[in-house]
Amino acid sequence: MKKILYCLLASFIMSSCTNAQEPSSNEAVTIMPIEVDQREKNLLDSIAGDQLFAFDVKVNDKTTEEQYLNISIDYYENGDLLKEVAGMGVQLVKDVNTVLISRVEEELNDDKYIRWGGAVVTESGFSKFKSNMILANNNSGRALSSQLSNERLLYENKPQIVAYIINHHERSISATNNVFDGVEKEINRIIQQYESVYFVTVELDSKNEK
């Protein structure tokens, strides 16, 4: 996935020019935060970590086109995008698709590492992904994490940040819900001001690019 800021800026410009590209109500795809149930908890045995983000992606049953969801976890350190840590593209089923994202810290030879994992669960089965271990920024003593708190519409080729984790050591950390609204100024402030930042982003597509 391209850099979050570039994608968000481009999609904002396009949406400002016209509303014709937005799906009609009978083609809506939505995402909303959830509490995991026992089925998801059982699945999480293989991907569980010290932090979990969980969402339901619902596809209206009147939708005619196949829909795909691209999930990416991007890591910024000292203002620079280092890498897309992990990601997956899945075809969505009509009705409910549960998205689970987890982060776990592991120690190896006195160093701390971060590993991300995730899954998309439907009534018929699930798909999973797991990242390689990432050397943690050991200077970052403070942490702040948050996830989307309300239901949102998803649109094709318009990235939606659904969760983030910020680490920093010098002072308190602050962030606003403008992150989830795609406000470039707030996203850029966070990237530039804090030592390490993870963004979890989803993007709806009519074809799978992963």
Side-chain angles (χ1 to χ4, degrees):
M1 174 184 265
K2 296 180 180 179
K3 290 184 179 180
I4 292 173
L5 291 177
Y6 295 151
C7 291
L8 289 170
L9 179 60
S11 62
F12 175 79
I13 293 172
M14 292 174 65
S15 62
S16 299
C17 296
T18 178
N19 291 325
Q21 295 178 352
E22 295 186 354
S24 60
S25 59
N26 68 336
E27 296 177 328
V29 179
T30 60
I31 186 168
M32 65 181 301
I34 61 165
E35 296 289 336
V36 296
D37 61 20
Q38 191 58 49
R39 182 188 180 201
E40 281 81 34
K41 288 180 180 178
N42 293 337
L43 174 63
L44 285 173
D45 288 341
S46 61
I47 65 169
D50 48 57
Q51 286 182 295
L52 171 67
F53 306 109
F55 309 91
D56 271 351
V57 177
K58 296 184 179 181
V59 181
N60 191 300
D61 59 10
K62 295 181 181 179
T63 301
T64 57
E65 292 185 354
E66 292 183 347
Q67 297 288 350
Y68 292 85
L69 189 72
N70 294 326
I71 305 167
S72 66
I73 302 166
D74 296 310
Y75 177 49
Y76 292 80
E77 189 171 287
N78 297 318
D80 295 322
L81 174 64
L82 291 191
K83 63 170 66 177
E84 181 180 315
V85 172
M88 178 173 67
V90 295
Q91 182 176 348
L92 298 173
V93 300
K94 292 183 179 180
D95 199 15
V96 179
N97 306 257
T98 298
V99 177
L100 306 171
I101 306 290
S102 73
R103 171 191 176 275
V104 63
E105 287 190 4
E106 302 177 12
E107 288 195 12
L108 180 64
N109 298 327
D110 296 326
D111 287 323
K112 288 185 178 181
Y113 290 84
I114 305 296
R115 187 191 296 275
W116 288 83
V120 177
V121 187
T122 66
E123 287 297 325
S124 59
F126 61 87
S127 300
K128 294 194 297 182
F129 69 88
K130 184 179 290 188
S131 75
N132 295 323
M133 289 197 301
I134 308 149
L135 184 63
N137 187 336
N138 293 322
N139 294 325
S140 301
R142 298 175 181 270
L144 174 68
S145 64
S146 184
Q147 73 171 31
L148 191 70
S149 61
N150 59 340
E151 186 176 38
R152 298 288 181 98
L153 283 169
L154 295 180
Y155 301 107
E156 286 186 14
N157 305 314
K158 183 176 181 180
Q160 171 68 60
I161 295 175
V162 295
Y164 61 80
I165 298 177
I166 304 170
N167 293 99
H168 198 66
H169 80 285
E170 289 187 347
R171 54 187 177 273
S172 61
I173 302 171
S174 66
T176 71
N177 285 334
N178 286 340
V179 171
F180 303 117
D181 294 329
V183 177
E184 181 185 359
K185 183 177 180 180
E186 175 68 356
I187 296 169
N188 190 58
R189 180 189 70 82
I190 291 170
I191 291 171
Q192 298 298 324
Q193 186 171 338
Y194 301 120
E195 289 179 356
S196 62
V197 181
Y198 291 92
F199 285 117
V200 181
T201 306
V202 299
E203 184 175 0
L204 192 65
D205 202 346
S206 58
K207 61 182 183 301
N208 190 358
E209 295 182 347
K210 290 285 183 181

